[in-house]
Amino acid sequence: MRIPAHSVCTAIRDDIVSGVYERGSRLTEELLARRYGVSRVPVREALRTLESEGFVVTRRHAGACVAEPTEQEAADLLEVRMLLEPLGAARAAQRRTDAHLKVLRGLVRLGQERARRGEGEDLRSLGGWFHETLAQASGSPGLIALLTQLRHKTAWMYAVEQPVRPADSWAEHGAIVDAVARGDAERARALTAQHAERAAAAHRLRRPDRPGRRASAGSRVSTSQPGVNIASARH
């Protein structure tokens, strides 16, 4: 069975974001193909896609390597996300479906419940699902793709501190959903802009990895790790 390139791309991107591959490390087609249990063809296509997204760069005499974004690039990225998320919320107020609204309301209820219990890790996941669903509700494929890429890249470049008062953060999510439900695009935009600004203050730039801490696809990655083969994984 031929594994589609987008599945390989997702697997490599996830490993870059999670720090499996340190910044600047080589990404050789042969070792990546072995690691994910695929041929070199989808790996090559995936690396081209990841280069267009800014996760990978091609260097003379070295080939594909994990990119090494500067602090200014990271700051610019966060600013762009803060500009686009309110636009997505405004579009969602105009284009959301009942299904989108049901999921958003369900996530807010779960978030508020987890916040009361102090379950921080669950809140992180729920927050990601909330913003992903809000973007999907915009009904704009181009905007959805941009916001998805921005979420991946900010997760790669920044560590996010949990809010001191998570219940307040989920109250903001609830207010955004209320505006979306009423079709009030300007209020949805304004509330999301305020929320994004407060959330940005909790972002802390990740520092370069310490030597020997991460694995490199060019040297230290095991090609026989259990569970890595994406032919049988959910990617």
Side-chain angles (χ1 to χ4, degrees):
M1 180 180 66
R2 185 179 185 275
I3 306 300
H6 70 81
S7 297
V8 182
C9 184
T10 297
I12 298 173
R13 186 194 297 110
D14 286 349
D15 280 344
I16 290 174
V17 171
S18 65
V20 171
Y21 305 133
E22 64 185 29
R23 298 179 190 188
S25 62
R26 291 185 62 198
L27 297 169
T28 63
E29 291 180 9
E30 182 180 359
L31 290 178
L32 288 171
R34 290 178 185 174
R35 176 174 172 79
Y36 300 110
V38 298
S39 73
R40 294 174 65 169
V41 174
V43 168
R44 190 175 302 124
E45 293 177 26
L47 290 175
R48 282 198 293 265
T49 298
L50 291 169
E51 184 170 19
S52 72
E53 294 178 354
F55 289 98
V56 170
V57 296
T58 300
R59 293 175 177 163
R60 189 177 182 183
H61 306 308
C65 300
V66 179
E68 299 178 88
T70 65
E71 289 190 18
Q72 185 59 62
E73 288 171 336
D76 289 347
L77 187 83
L78 192 57
E79 185 175 1
V80 170
R81 181 175 172 178
M82 290 171 63
L83 291 171
L84 289 183
E85 284 192 334
L87 173 62
R91 292 288 183 270
Q94 298 166 328
R95 303 173 182 175
R96 57 83 180 170
T97 65
D98 289 342
H100 289 133
L101 197 56
K102 182 177 180 180
V103 173
L104 287 168
R105 283 175 166 159
L107 289 169
V108 169
R109 283 195 299 271
L110 283 173
Q112 291 172 337
E113 178 184 322
R114 299 296 193 274
R116 285 193 296 270
R117 295 179 181 177
E119 298 174 0
E121 286 306 311
D122 282 352
L123 288 177
R124 193 182 300 277
S125 297
L126 287 171
W129 292 338
F130 176 88
H131 288 288
E132 181 178 343
T133 305
L134 188 63
Q136 292 287 336
S138 74
S140 172
L143 184 57
I144 294 167
L146 280 172
L147 286 170
T148 298
Q149 188 180 134
L150 287 168
R151 280 195 299 276
H152 287 315
K153 294 185 81 172
T154 52
W156 176 41
M157 296 180 190
Y158 290 93
V160 183
E161 299 175 351
Q162 288 283 17
V164 177
R165 297 173 60 88
D168 290 348
S169 178
W170 281 95
E172 292 174 3
H173 286 144
I176 291 168
V177 174
D178 288 343
V180 168
R182 292 196 304 271
D184 191 338
E186 287 311 308
R187 181 161 175 77
R189 184 197 300 269
L191 290 172
T192 304
Q194 293 169 8
H195 178 73
E197 185 175 353
R198 278 191 280 271
H203 285 62
R204 298 290 178 264
L205 196 65
R206 295 186 189 275
R207 298 302 172 186
D209 298 316
R210 294 189 296 274
R213 181 183 168 199
R214 301 277 196 248
S216 163
S219 57
R220 293 190 296 276
V221 167
S222 166
T223 59
S224 59
Q225 296 183 37
V228 171
N229 189 312
I230 65 172
S232 58
R234 62 190 178 94
H235 294 297

